[in-house]
Amino acid sequence: MENEKVRIGFYALTSCYGCQLQFAMMDEIIQLLDKAKIECWFMLDRDSSEDREVDIAFIEGSVSTQEEVELVKKIREKAKIVVAVGSCAVHGGVQSWGKDKELSELWKTVYGDAHVKFEPKMAEPVEKYIKVDYKIYGCPPEKKDFLYALGTFLVGSWPEDIDYPVCVECRLRGNPCILIEKGEPCLGPVTVAGCDARCPGFNVACIGCRGAVGYDVAWFDSLALEFKKKGLTKEEILERMKIFNAHNPKLEEMVNKIFGEGE
Amino acid sequence: MYIPITVDHIARVEGKGGIEIVTSDEGVKEVKLNIIEGPRFFEAITIGKKLEEALAIYPRVCSFCSAAHKLTAVEAAEKAIGFTPRPEIQDLRDLLYIGDMIESHALHLYLLVLPDYLGYSNPLAMVDKYRKEIEYAMTLKNIGSKIMDYLGSRAIHQENAILGGFGKLPTKAQFEELKKELKEALPLAEYTVELFSKLEQYEEVTDDEMVHMAVKPRNGVYGIYGDYIKVSDGFEFPVEDYKKHIVEKVVEHSFAKHSFYKGKPFMVGAISRIVNNADLLYGKAKELYTQYKDLLRYNNCFANNFAQAIELVYFIERAIDLIDDTLAKWPVKERDEVELKDGFGVSITEAPRGLLVYALEVKDGRVNYADIITPTAMNLAIMERHVRMMAEKHWQDDPEKLKLLAEMAVRAYDPCISCSVHVVRL
């Protein structure tokens, strides 16, 4: 029977460990034990190794050191399916918010002239270095994101991506629109759904933690126009949209369009 | 020829760190806690950013204590802009913070620490034989998470804690539901104390020079917020003076700095809170404290586990009291308007693993200066000293045994390594 179990690895790059914590905190994880064998999960298991072959590799965290570049390559070699989990692995995480500054400047601000024997680099998404087969969005992802992905993998199927924004879920919940009615800089219109509009449900504007809707349907330009009408500057708009989308290749181009540049 | 004893990746802690022990014929030559988690530069990336956006980012320093980061940053920001929250709001922030405390302590004790004592490599392997304990862990964890879900929007990275109060408060029925579940969880917390009283052994590390630092709780109630820091040597200082008494240094083998008080390492955490503030405990926790006083040893880092178990009982009782206070004042207004004036504020609170410092300067509605010191950054120096003491005792033993004991010493601190990496400006 042992051989029939799906071999799972959970690997951490640079992150807050929230995606793993969310995964570990699911009561359902106990039910998983009959079906899966954990080969690597340092947060929970001392008997972990990054050198073992796995069927599914979950990777959380952004690539932020040279060692992590090597690690993701190794994981790719040993895994059948690689899943990037959470905003760090998928989008580079909030640590990429400082991407416009030089790494040396960030280093100097925090560490001064001090030397550390490891080599840091600017935070990047996992996809920059290896092929990623599936992405689980969120900071952190919802439990149902994990259950859905795992469930489909375990029955030999494949999870579907969500291709609509948080606004859809906000409307379904009947929340008042924070952007239109309260005039706050809500990123719901460009952010991939799946959280059941969690923050707007608490009267808090979306900060885009699940990242931009894929398939080039995140209309940064339309939203930037709306923000511009409310008096936000281009810099303010970019800053907010970059909290979780600093590596998005379309973002600046689309926002620039609204401010009459790069046409 | 001696091969260094290394643990590349310490398991069952938050974040990525390793242990390196080098021995020679005479004994232990070198002991290092290598902190290899990549840097995230939180202070640097939030400088110049809008205050509200920076406050949304700070909890991302750490998942195990995201509410602690959020609420400490919010308090520092409010002090900076000259805003004081209403007492009802402060009570609810305490409650949200306690949710984090309960969840974090339950996870640490049952899932991260217990497997070592019972001879397992991971908690899931314990399910067959110790199903009850795992279920207790999940129930205790769940009530902590639920408090954070209801008051903070979710258990990790709470967005519903903002300047001036909350976006939206739970309903009265939700508070009643929390209270009912907290009452049901109380016996499980008491069981945790019993369980750990049987497991704890303290002969390994005895450090009589150990100094403990903790918040002197505001309003004389054992808890999280305070305006002064108490040191177990009898010294007290206002939180604003933290830089004079918590001195950080960069060490080469770590992306996280080490901290010193009067030139020496010190400890923060549950045991440090109890060492400094045990007289403020009340209720069932006070009874258990009195009963098990001998296990709460100031000179042994392993006592931190047991102190967390006592705190689980305390914080559940405290949460029930805070809900009663809130319901007595119902309806409570969720938020007051704030004005983003310029200024500087320092907040130091008790995160699950000890003192957490946020110092923020606000200018034109933006963060002009940010300094964060986390509990693990404070504990790293003393943690390294205690791993050394463990190595000095066991350097001739089987390396596997030494590895496990060294890891257990580190785990007793409940380190949050991700947290510790990003530290302050020099």
Side-chain angles (χ1 to χ4, degrees), chain B residues 67-81:
Chain B
H69 279 270
K70 175 69 142 203
L71 292 167
T72 312
V74 165
E75 183 176 75
E78 287 179 350
K79 281 184 175 177
I81 62 174

Side-chain angles (χ1 to χ4, degrees), chain A residues 19-65:
Chain A
C19 302
Q20 292 186 73
L21 181 62
Q22 184 79 304
F23 196 79
M25 287 203 309
M26 298 190 301
D27 291 8
E28 295 81 359
I29 198 167
I30 297 172
Q31 296 160 20
L32 179 72
L33 293 178
D34 296 336
K35 305 190 175 53
K37 182 169 187 286
I38 290 161
E39 299 287 357
C40 181
W41 192 359
F42 277 102
M43 196 185 90
L44 281 193
D45 196 353
R46 249 192 118 222
D47 179 27
S48 290
S49 167
E50 283 155 351
D51 295 327
R52 295 184 201 142
E53 306 258 327
V54 294
D55 295 303
I56 311 170
F58 294 99
I59 306 179
E60 77 153 33
S62 61
V63 181
S64 299
T65 62

Side-chain angles (χ1 to χ4, degrees), chain B residues 79 89 117 144 180 190 274 295 305 314 325 354 371 404 421:
Chain B
K79 281 184 175 177
I89 291 296
Y117 286 92
K180 183 173 161 278
E190 288 173 44
I274 289 195
L295 289 176
N305 294 326
Y314 174 79
D325 291 349
D371 185 12
L404 177 65
V421 178

